[in-house]
Amino acid sequence: MSSRISINRTGGHSYNPDPNGLGNTRPSAGYRSANPDDPLEKLRAFSKQLEDNVEILAQPLRPHLPAIGRFLIVVTFLEDALRITTQWSDQLWYLQVHRKFPWGLSHFFLLLNVLTMLTGSVAVILKRYTEYSVAGLLSVVIIQGFGYGLIFDLNFFLRNLSVIGGLFMVFSDSMVSRKSNFAGLPSFSETDRRKYFLLAGRILLIFLFLGFMIQGTWSIGRVFVSIIGLAACAMVAVGFKAKWSASFLVIVLSIFNVFINNWWSVHSAHPTRDFLKYDFFQTLSIVGGLILLVNMGPGGLSVDEKKKTY
């Protein structure tokens, strides 16, 4: 104990906490606690609380989210198959008169579409042969665009990009590892392929909202929703707070779908009924893709994932 005691000028004793001079007398430049009054800290705390609340509310549904997402993604294909079947003669008339399809080819085109959409959709729901099912549904999107002459329609193009994004999310959700069958070509692991398909799916999913922004009549409310929605789309694309932003888009698109694409309120003989119905079920498919994103997360190529390493 004597080494810790020193004698001062008055003869008294004083305590020296660092007798060997090993202490650092410079002011600390280390981590300082965050200022709770800082606006950025308040925003960060609010964001964290909101994420926790979303996580709590989604917890009972979480085991069912993959099944719900897969079903919603393929519901537009199921509805389209039903529509072609119930309007068979009208579909044949359109293809033969307006698209100049030969008699036999028009029948084959419609039958191939119906069978591919039904078998592919059921397989996706049951998680069977997912790679082949997704490839079949992707081919339907492409050949219908050319077959019906809608490939150069901007609204159709943007919507179907989002549907393709949803199919990519399905593919990522049930991807299995497979070695390359071609010698000399690089083979990707399941993790590598999954993160690239998740990135492509995230980017493609947001095109539906971009299509919503460029059509319709503008108002103050529409501008406000578009700005917030565009910010959420950017967050989904780069994978920043992806689960929160995807949840926000699910809510916005669901509300928009019910009030704007309300095909059930239009008379069955009205020509716009089929267009509204088509838009309604396509929007449901994009909502399904976003639900899968909420369940799986944004993947390795995202800001959220990179933040975990720093």
Side-chain angles (χ1 to χ4, degrees):
M1 291 293 293
S2 60
S3 63
R4 294 182 179 268
I5 303 296
S6 62
I7 301 176
N8 59 21
R9 293 182 179 178
T10 59
H13 294 80
S14 64
Y15 178 74
N16 185 2
D18 186 27
N20 298 316
L22 300 177
N24 185 4
T25 59
R26 292 177 299 175
S28 174
Y31 176 78
R32 292 180 296 177
S33 61
N35 180 10
D37 295 327
D38 186 0
L40 290 178
E41 286 301 323
K42 290 183 178 180
L43 181 61
R44 188 177 292 110
F46 173 77
S47 174
K48 182 66 170 63
Q49 183 179 4
L50 190 61
E51 286 182 1
D52 293 342
N53 291 335
V54 170
E55 193 73 22
I56 293 172
L57 292 175
Q59 199 63 37
L61 286 175
R62 185 164 296 282
H64 310 289
L65 287 182
I68 295 172
R70 290 195 305 272
F71 173 75
L72 290 179
I73 285 172
V74 300
V75 73
T76 186
F77 297 100
L78 294 173
E79 187 277 331
D80 199 25
L82 178 62
R83 180 175 54 86
I84 291 176
T85 304
T86 57
Q87 300 177 2
W88 186 264
S89 58
D90 293 335
Q91 295 287 324
L92 287 176
W93 176 83
Y94 177 81
L95 290 176
Q96 293 171 8
V97 174
H98 291 278
R99 300 299 300 163
K100 308 302 179 182
F101 273 56
W103 183 84
L105 184 59
S106 60
H107 292 73
F108 176 75
F109 177 82
L110 292 179
L111 184 61
L112 179 64
N113 274 270
V114 170
L115 291 178
T116 304
M117 287 189 290
L118 288 177
T119 55
S121 298
V122 172
V124 166
I125 293 173
L126 299 178
K127 298 188 70 173
R128 302 294 301 273
Y129 308 106
T130 304
E131 294 185 11
Y132 300 104
S133 303
V134 168
L137 295 176
L138 282 173
S139 67
V140 167
V141 173
I142 296 172
I143 65 174
Q144 280 195 355
F146 286 101
Y148 287 98
L150 298 173
I151 193 66
F152 298 110
D153 181 271
L154 182 59
N155 187 35
F156 174 87
F157 183 72
L158 293 176
R159 283 179 171 275
N160 278 277
L161 282 180
S162 290
V163 172
I164 292 173
L167 292 174
F168 280 1
M169 300 300 292
V170 171
F171 189 70
S172 302
D173 184 45
S174 54
M175 187 176 294
V176 293
S177 180
R178 185 177 62 183
K179 293 183 178 180
S180 175
N181 296 324
F182 301 97
L185 293 179
S187 59
F188 292 96
S189 67
E190 177 183 355
T191 303
D192 290 334
R193 291 190 298 158
R194 182 186 177 94
K195 67 183 182 182
Y196 285 114
F197 273 97
L198 276 172
L199 173 63
R202 290 199 326 261
I203 294 174
L204 292 175
L205 277 174
I206 68 174
F207 279 96
L208 174 70
F209 197 87
L210 299 180
F212 159 73
M213 289 178 58
I214 64 175
Q215 65 175 348
T217 304
W218 286 95
S219 62
I220 296 178
R222 183 184 178 88
V223 170
F224 178 73
V225 172
S226 296
I227 292 174
I228 297 179
L230 186 61
C233 287
M235 292 168 67
V236 166
V238 301
F240 175 67
K241 302 290 184 182
K243 290 187 176 183
W244 179 88
S245 51
S247 301
F248 172 78
L249 288 177
V250 166
I251 297 172
V252 171
L253 289 176
S254 298
I255 295 174
F256 163 81
N257 208 23
V258 170
F259 287 98
I260 303 299
N261 296 325
N262 52 346
W263 56 270
W264 53 87
S265 64
V266 180
H267 193 274
S268 58
H270 201 282
T272 61
R273 179 183 172 93
D274 278 344
F275 290 102
L276 290 174
K277 196 174 183 180
Y278 175 79
D279 290 347
F280 178 85
F281 284 100
Q282 272 212 324
T283 304
L284 281 184
S285 293
I286 284 86
V287 168
L290 291 169
I291 288 175
L292 284 185
L293 176 59
V294 172
N295 180 68
M296 293 187 296
L301 298 176
S302 64
V303 175
D304 288 346
E305 191 66 25
K306 297 300 180 183
K307 286 169 60 180
K308 295 179 182 179
T309 62
Y310 295 104

